[in-house]
Amino acid sequence: MAGTPLARAEHFVWLTARVLEQRRFAYHFLGAAAEPVEAALTAYLNEDGGYGHALEPDLRGPASQPLHTAHALRVLDSIGRCGGLRAERICRYLTHVATRDGALPVIHPSQRGYPTAPFIPIVSDPPSELLATGPVVGLLHRNQVWHAWLFRATDFCWAAVDGLQKSHPYEIQAAVAFLDGVPDRSRAEEAADRLGRLVREQRLVVLDPGRSDEYPVAAGYAPGEYHYPHDYARVPGSLARRWFTDEEMDRSLDHLAREQQEDGGWPVRWRQWAPSTALEWRPVVTVEALRTLRAHGRVLR
């Protein structure tokens, strides 16, 4: 397929994406308004203030879930609409599904009975998880949202981050999302420095994409499910950007750009368990790949 990376991605999005990802692409890369993005997102909103209906494609069915709601928050944040009554309504839902210590589970038992990725187990009394809580708390703080639920959830995240000794890439990403938004910047920088050393010591990042197969894959991950510097430092202002040299970051971004496939989209690296999830995830991943490349100054046109 001829054309610039952006033109090829646009063709892929119009061909395969859900309305939400089409609207997001138009907002981020074609100068469209934010209102259609929010309107498309509203289709996933439930009466309890949470989001469902396979917004996060690995969880099918209508039930509101923390992962769906975190996905919705990221979309709202990306269009500058993460505040006011929207955020208040979401925080009420998060309060309702929070665990005893005020944090979020990865998956609420209300998902039981609906198709779910086999790598996301459903249990009756789910534990608190930094994986689910960190990105939500960091994002709400960054948008200066204040709610009673946030105080306990923030305390949980600090304890979880401070206690990390051995981790895996997605948990580290969640920690970074928390640290990038939390108000106590000096404490966040100190914690991020420690996590950066942990990531390198435990080889949780591929620093040379040309030698990816020499790096370990985390337990439970799919074959080839590696993480690169750009996966941790999505934007130059992230605390995780300090973990990598300019050369390491350039190699990572070069690799990300090369991953664009012949049809214009980017691949999904984690395990695909149903045809619908593979189809719905690729446009999401494609929009995020383009946003990451552009944030780091890469020319897309």
Side-chain angles (χ1 to χ4, degrees):
M1 185 187 300
T4 66
L6 187 61
R8 293 165 58 207
E10 180 178 359
H11 178 86
F12 173 78
V13 166
W14 295 131
L15 179 66
T16 67
R18 302 180 296 189
V19 172
L20 176 59
E21 282 69 55
Q22 292 178 1
R23 294 298 198 181
R24 291 192 71 202
F25 182 92
Y27 171 83
H28 288 296
F29 302 104
L30 302 178
E35 285 77 9
V37 179
E38 191 168 7
L41 184 62
T42 301
Y44 300 89
L45 178 64
N46 286 321
E47 292 184 3
D48 61 5
Y51 289 77
H53 306 279
L55 176 57
E56 206 273 11
D58 283 327
L59 304 180
R60 316 304 293 182
S64 294
Q65 287 293 323
L67 288 182
H68 292 315
T69 306
H71 191 122
L73 279 170
R74 287 193 295 274
V75 172
L76 291 170
D77 176 61
S78 72
I79 62 173
R81 298 294 177 92
C82 186
L85 292 176
R86 303 175 191 84
E88 182 179 333
R89 180 176 57 196
I90 287 172
C91 285
R92 285 200 299 267
Y93 163 75
L94 297 175
T95 302
H96 175 70
V97 298
T99 59
R100 286 185 291 273
D101 53 9
L104 297 175
V106 169
I107 186 166
H108 189 270
S110 60
Q111 183 64 24
R112 187 173 283 115
Y114 298 110
T116 305
F119 47 82
I120 310 178
I122 303 173
V123 297
S124 297
D125 187 18
S128 303
E129 295 280 1
L130 178 63
L131 186 70
T133 314
V136 171
V137 172
L139 189 151
L140 290 173
H141 277 306
R142 192 170 67 249
N143 284 274
Q144 299 183 333
V145 173
W146 299 104
H147 189 274
W149 169 75
L150 267 176
F151 292 98
R152 293 185 67 204
T154 301
D155 288 343
F156 166 83
C157 289
W158 274 126
V161 169
D162 290 343
L164 283 178
Q165 300 294 328
K166 185 174 177 57
S167 189
H168 59 92
Y170 291 120
E171 187 174 48
I172 296 295
Q173 284 182 308
V176 170
F178 168 69
L179 295 173
D180 278 347
V182 72
D184 191 340
R185 300 315 300 154
S186 60
R187 185 177 178 183
E189 290 178 9
E190 182 179 343
D193 288 345
R194 184 179 65 83
L195 289 186
R197 292 191 295 271
L198 182 151
V199 164
R200 297 181 81 98
E201 290 167 2
Q202 297 183 11
R203 304 187 73 207
L204 301 181
V205 60
V206 175
L207 298 174
D208 185 353
R211 303 169 64 180
S212 296
D213 57 357
E214 297 179 11
Y215 289 80
V217 175
Y221 284 30
E225 192 174 353
Y226 299 110
H227 282 68
Y228 301 86
H230 68 263
D231 290 311
Y232 297 108
R234 292 282 183 180
V235 296
S238 172
L239 291 174
R241 176 61 183 85
R242 306 179 186 183
W243 301 349
F244 311 110
T245 66
D246 291 346
E247 182 181 4
E248 289 168 344
M249 200 70 206
D250 284 342
R251 283 201 301 258
S252 179
L253 293 168
D254 288 344
H255 173 73
L256 178 61
R258 288 194 301 269
E259 279 196 309
Q260 187 175 26
Q261 299 185 331
E262 290 187 6
D263 61 6
W266 267 260
V268 176
R269 294 200 297 264
W270 58 90
R271 185 174 290 107
Q272 299 302 292
W273 58 280
S276 58
T277 64
L279 180 65
E280 292 176 3
W281 266 125
R282 284 195 67 209
V284 177
V285 171
T286 296
V287 171
E288 294 306 323
L290 292 168
R291 293 184 67 214
T292 298
L293 289 167
R294 185 174 66 180
H296 285 279
R298 295 302 179 100
V299 177
L300 300 176
R301 293 188 178 275

